[in-house]
Amino acid sequence: MTYRVLKLLLSLLAYAFLRPQVTGLRNIPRTGPVILASNHISFVDSLIIPIVAPRHVTFLAKAEYFTGTGIKGRVSRWFFTTLGHIPVQRDDPRAGQRSLEDALEVLNRGGAFGIYPEGTRSRDGKLHKGHTGVAWLALAGHATVVPVAVRGTDKVQPVGKRLPRIHRVQVSFGAPIDPSRQITTGTKPAQARRELTDEVMTRIHAMSGQALAD
């Protein structure tokens, strides 16, 4: 109930100030494990995608959002906990594997998980090569992958700026990818993960229109 109220309030604010233009919502399966794999150009991405998606989408969030002190720390912890985001220790050598294991638990429960295959926010606005964690998750969790492209969020929260700005954003959900159909018989696991990841990134690139990083 608390999540629904928070999402409603965030939705009202988002549609009032950001006027999101959303396409492809029908591409998101309403039930079963699904991965929303998106480009990442702003902190706002992790807010706008769950707001416009018809399902509860879990993202990873840096642990600092859950460990702050004082009023600001308590509000941050309540906010990200209510959204259902999972804390990750970025300075932990095993953080990457643990985050994948946490994500797999979400998928095993039939949930929706949001991931940025690039691994981090793009600082130059270009689309960078995807890491194969998204493919590992899709194959291990038997999850459909829906490529997502966000545009305009970098204008809302530009790199290096603390205060958000009013700017229209766009969120596009592409045709779902069945990972089992992407795997050719006899393909080695590592190659299969690379091919699936590249397919996801190709779809994201086609929707986002971003320049590709070298």
Side-chain angles (χ1 to χ4, degrees), residues 38-43 45-46 60 62 90 115-131 159 201 210:
S38 176
N39 62 329
H40 192 20
I41 54 178
S42 171
F43 164 79
D45 303 335
S46 297
L60 297 176
K62 60 183 181 180
R90 295 188 297 178
I115 191 172
Y116 303 116
E118 295 169 275
T120 188
R121 180 174 59 176
S122 173
R123 294 282 177 172
D124 57 11
K126 296 180 180 180
L127 188 68
H128 294 254
K129 187 175 182 178
H131 298 283
V159 175
M201 298 309 295
Q210 291 171 270

Side-chain angles (χ1 to χ4, degrees), residues 9-32:
L9 293 176
L10 292 175
S11 298
L12 293 174
L13 292 173
Y15 279 92
F17 294 103
L18 306 182
R19 298 172 295 143
Q21 180 181 356
V22 185
T23 58
L25 285 177
R26 66 182 182 280
N27 289 321
I28 303 176
R30 295 305 189 263
T31 59

Side-chain angles (χ1 to χ4, degrees), residues 127 149 201-210:
L127 188 68
M201 298 309 295
T202 297
R203 301 277 194 95
I204 294 175
H205 175 241
M207 295 189 296
S208 70
Q210 291 171 270

